[in-house]
Amino acid sequence: MKNSTSAFSRRRFLQGSAAGAGILAAPAIISSKALASSGEVNFTGWAGYPSLAEKVFPAFTAATGITVNFKELPDQDTMFAEGKVALEAGGIDVIEPTIDRVGAWDSNGLLGAFDEAKLTMDNYLPGLADGAAGERSRPGGMLKYVPSVWGTESLVVNTADAKVSTPPSLGDLFNAENPAVLRPHSALAAMGRWLDAQGKLPRPWMDGYTDMAAMTELWDIALAEATKMKGNVVQWWSGENEANAGFTANGATIGLCWDSTGFNLRNDGYAYLAPAEGAFAWHQGFVLMKNAVNVDQAHEFVKWVSGAEGAALWATAFSANPVGKGASEMMDPEVSKYYSATFNDEALSKLWWWPDQSADFLAKRAEYADKYKAA
């Protein structure tokens, strides 16, 4: 996905979100076949977002009559492992990875294809299910991923105590004066991008995502540099709960975390800042398991989240950006205010979207993350 499209889309999302709190969603048209069979869907997704079970799934059930059986997991590696088990044992219809993982999931034989006739593709905002993102969603030419929410991974800082550059930089994460909460693989990518911005790499950091020899060369450098500066790390995180604990329990003053972490801490003296090198940006969505049983219900679930009401509720649960047209007008205006304070036009233009990551790349990346943690 190109940055120009990203910036345009985010501005559209954030415009006027304080208005329209009383807008009513149109009644959903539900497939009679979906309701005639089990009336349930087995969904595996992200842990740490209580609003999903408290508000979102009940709203979906009220709209469709379909019950969501939800299993929450902390990170994508765990989801992938669960998916491989479910390929043999069953039990999962829909999972929610990010778009950069779709190729790896598909190459491992986990994914079935969505039937576009059972979805409403026109519901999605421009640039999220079409264009470059649309191409990434169709490995082998079949639709195997549709978006659910998108957002960023950037600097969460204690405004009183963090030592932050002017402008803020990814390098601030490695400042010995900043107790830090980091996700290992993201921290290594941040180190690589920081070195790249300073002209300290032998080749562009992006080369490592398409060439495994380049990946080894570049990640060796990033690992060596990050290990030298590892002494300020007070918490590793892989999911939302761990990221929050890094600040609230272990005294971190800076972290490279999801936007939801910053939003949750916004009233406790923390700010969410975009680094000069550009915030990481993520694009999350639904995939259908190859051996899904509740296929019609899965399509109804995915379709509902693409509509204005479902997209607004889903994005609110994640404190992130909605994917459906008309959703921003139905969201909490505080979320809009929060994003607008972080991302002006310059910051939007610098968004760095996680590239596609092959199964070989992910396996090697996991090795580097383990070495970093163990060093």
Side-chain angles (χ1 to χ4, degrees):
M1 190 178 296
K2 297 180 180 178
N3 284 341
S4 58
T5 302
S6 307
F8 172 76
S9 298
R10 185 183 284 270
R11 279 194 291 272
R12 287 195 55 184
F13 293 166
L14 299 180
Q15 286 171 351
S17 63
I23 292 177
L24 298 177
I29 300 175
I30 311 304
S31 163
S32 58
K33 185 177 179 181
L35 295 177
S37 50
S38 72
E40 62 182 15
V41 62
N42 299 314
F43 169 60
T44 297
W46 295 87
Y49 303 95
S51 181
L52 290 175
E54 293 170 1
K55 297 180 180 179
V56 183
F57 300 145
F60 169 70
T61 301
T64 66
I66 300 169
T67 300
V68 180
N69 302 319
F70 179 43
K71 182 173 185 178
E72 51 184 339
L73 297 174
D75 56 65
Q76 295 201 75
D77 293 333
T78 309
M79 289 185 200
F80 182 66
E82 287 278 320
K84 289 197 289 186
V85 171
L87 195 61
E88 302 298 328
I92 301 176
D93 299 313
V94 180
I95 314 185
E96 191 178 14
T98 53
I99 196 170
D100 53 284
R101 301 293 189 97
V102 172
W105 285 57
D106 188 55
S107 66
N108 277 271
L110 272 66
L111 304 186
F114 286 108
D115 181 349
E116 293 186 54
K118 297 179 180 179
L119 302 178
T120 309
M121 300 303 292
D122 287 343
N123 280 349
Y124 297 105
L125 284 159
L128 294 181
D130 59 357
E135 293 175 9
R136 296 173 72 178
S137 302
R138 298 173 182 273
M142 303 179 72
L143 182 65
K144 296 186 177 180
Y145 169 97
V146 290
S148 60
V149 69
W150 70 277
T152 54
E153 185 175 343
S154 196
L155 304 179
V156 177
V157 303
N158 183 309
T159 55
D161 298 325
K163 310 300 181 185
V164 181
S165 305
T166 305
S169 169
L170 292 174
D172 296 331
L173 296 165
F174 308 102
N175 184 333
E177 296 183 81
N178 286 329
V181 53
L182 300 173
R183 181 165 61 163
H185 75 79
S186 292
L188 292 173
M191 173 60 76
R193 292 183 55 213
W194 182 43
L195 294 172
D196 196 8
Q198 298 176 82
K200 294 183 178 180
L201 292 180
R203 56 199 300 172
W205 178 251
M206 283 292 291
D207 285 1
Y209 291 90
T210 55
D211 181 330
M212 288 303 295
M215 191 268 189
T216 300
E217 178 184 14
L218 294 170
W219 283 67
D220 279 349
I221 296 170
L223 175 62
E225 293 301 313
T227 299
K228 291 178 188 176
M229 303 177 183
K230 184 187 170 187
N232 70 323
V233 179
V234 297
Q235 169 91 45
W236 300 114
W237 71 269
S238 63
E240 186 67 54
N241 295 331
E242 292 171 331
N244 274 279
F247 295 101
T248 59
N250 293 321
T253 63
I254 195 168
L256 180 63
C257 302
W258 293 322
D259 28 28
S260 51
T261 306
F263 185 82
N264 291 336
L265 296 171
R266 70 194 184 284
N267 295 323
D268 299 320
Y270 296 87
Y272 191 61
L273 306 178
E277 299 85 1
F280 291 86
W282 50 267
H283 187 299
Q284 186 170 301
F286 299 120
V287 294
L288 183 70
M289 283 292 295
K290 189 174 184 179
N291 63 336
V293 173
N294 304 298
V295 174
D296 288 293
Q297 294 86 349
H299 280 77
E300 293 296 339
F301 178 61
V302 168
K303 183 169 70 173
W304 182 81
V305 176
S306 75
E309 179 190 12
L313 286 170
W314 207 267
T316 298
F318 282 92
S319 301
N321 293 300
V323 297
K325 295 173 183 174
S328 62
E329 288 83 359
M330 304 178 73
M331 290 182 67
D332 183 345
E334 192 169 356
V335 176
S336 173
K337 179 181 177 182
Y338 167 72
Y339 277 109
S340 297
T342 302
F343 294 101
N344 58 20
D345 284 356
E346 181 181 4
L348 290 169
S349 70
K350 292 181 177 180
L351 287 178
W352 192 88
W353 292 88
W354 284 105
D356 286 342
Q357 296 167 70
S358 68
D360 287 344
F361 179 96
L362 291 171
K364 193 69 174 176
R365 191 190 73 175
E367 292 179 14
Y368 279 103
D370 288 342
K371 289 178 182 177
Y372 182 33
K373 289 174 67 177

